[in-house]
Amino acid sequence: MNRRNFFRLSAIGGLLLASGGIFASRSYASAYYKGPASDHFDGTRFFNPNGEQPNGFSDLMKWRFNGQRAEWPENYPSPYPTAKPDARVEGKDLRVTFVGHASFLIQTAGLNILVDPVWSERTSPFSFVGPKRVNPPGIRFEDLPPIDLVLVTHNHYDHLDLDTLHRLHVEHKPLFVTPLGNDAIIRTKVQAAKISVGDWGDAIAVSPDVKVHFEPCHHWSARGLNDRRMALWAAFVIETPGGKIYHIGDTGFHSGLNYHAAAKKHGSFRLANLPFGAYEPRWFMKGQHQNPAEAVEGMKICNAAYACGHHWGTVQLTDEAIDAPIIALEAALKDQNVARENFRPMRPGEVFDVPMV
């Protein structure tokens, strides 16, 4: 095999690693979760009701050899300095600090919450292949405040980073909250972790005045060859004294159905953290990753006063250029009459003190 083909195949393997593909380091032969069938679980695998199945291997090969993948720079520095968060943010104040890709530190009501924390250099089980970050985390791990709660939306490698979760357990002993089945994966690395799991529609109290709701999103899961859709994926609604926060790690737009359901159930949101990158080509990515126009529409449907855009600019998963999401977001905000300051495309180290509404 020549050098060019080797690196092309390595790139394919890396993408599969990030999004839960066949080149994972371990092939899981049995389910992570056993329970009764439901409207989104058939007894073995989870699914999106009335939704789309993830694409198969032949479609993956068709996409990866289409020759349309933009070249990202090796370094894409953030305009913001590395953040050093305060120890606590009390009461109704709400501060969000962006780590990178889909990782956030959320501080409110005296709690420090990490969502989908990834401090590893690659979103991969290997150190030598897989999507590699083009900017460092927006917070040095050593500068984290005491972490009380870690939310993990699903098991793809760019959201569930076992090495980071192990470090957090050693240093902070947080409570991990994650959808059904992901606890089995976390315990392969962090056996003594405190973990609470939930199904769509469940809610758990994490403090006297903060509750976390598990809500549906349109995605899928996998860590290896045989475990596709054997662990659940979810969005989270964090209910706080200062208002509700809607966090989606990954989702296809799915005609806005889940956004409408969230608005009907929760009314409105002070903040929504919404993915808006990794969306090209649409024929392949539409069912799993919304594009910027869909993210803005989702913000409006769910009645979010402010949005933090993520899932862009740190690791390359798809075809679009590194700055394509922010260019498309600018156009979408203008087209949909949303103020630029209300939907922030977050950069590592950026700190947003979310106004009261």
Side-chain angles (χ1 to χ4, degrees), residues 10 40 73 105 132 139 167 251 298 308 317 328 350:
S10 294
H40 56 279
L105 171 66
K132 184 178 181 180
I139 307 171
R167 293 178 71 187
T251 193
C308 288
L317 303 179
E350 184 173 357

Side-chain angles (χ1 to χ4, degrees), residues 294-309:
E294 292 168 333
V296 174
E297 186 175 354
M299 173 194 179
K300 295 174 68 176
I301 292 172
C302 75
N303 302 316
Y306 296 92
C308 288

Side-chain angles (χ1 to χ4, degrees), residues 146-162:
I147 300 302
D148 306 296
L149 180 64
V150 175
L151 308 181
V152 179
T153 61
H154 64 294
N155 71 13
H156 286 159
Y157 285 92
D158 56 327
H159 296 260
L160 195 164
D161 177 13
L162 286 172

Side-chain angles (χ1 to χ4, degrees), residues 62-102:
K62 177 182 175 183
W63 161 44
R64 287 305 295 124
F65 287 97
N66 68 9
Q68 297 176 8
R69 184 178 175 86
E71 184 175 352
W72 277 32
E74 290 187 8
N75 294 290
Y76 188 58
S78 173
Y80 297 93
T82 303
K84 292 188 176 182
D86 291 341
R88 301 283 174 185
V89 172
E90 302 292 344
K92 295 182 179 181
D93 290 345
L94 171 59
R95 181 173 300 158
V96 177
T97 305
F98 193 52
V99 178
H101 190 58

Side-chain angles (χ1 to χ4, degrees), residues 270-283:
R270 181 175 176 182
L271 176 69
N273 297 328
L274 303 180
F276 76 107
Y279 53 85
E280 292 289 356
R282 295 310 291 148
W283 68 267

Side-chain angles (χ1 to χ4, degrees), residues 11 35 37 82 99 120 124 132 166 171 187 251 257 300 305 330:
T82 303
V99 178
S120 294
S124 163
K132 184 178 181 180
H166 182 263
E171 296 294 330
R187 290 200 190 282
T251 193
L257 295 179
K300 295 174 68 176
E330 286 278 339

Side-chain angles (χ1 to χ4, degrees), residues 293-326:
E294 292 168 333
V296 174
E297 186 175 354
M299 173 194 179
K300 295 174 68 176
I301 292 172
C302 75
N303 302 316
Y306 296 92
C308 288
H310 66 90
H311 211 268
W312 79 286
T314 295
V315 291
Q316 185 175 16
L317 303 179
T318 50
D319 282 354
E320 72 270 9
I322 197 166
D323 59 350
I326 53 173

Side-chain angles (χ1 to χ4, degrees), residues 282-294:
R282 295 310 291 148
W283 68 267
F284 189 86
M285 287 292 164
K286 183 178 180 181
Q288 53 193 306
H289 292 163
Q290 63 188 6
N291 65 21
E294 292 168 333

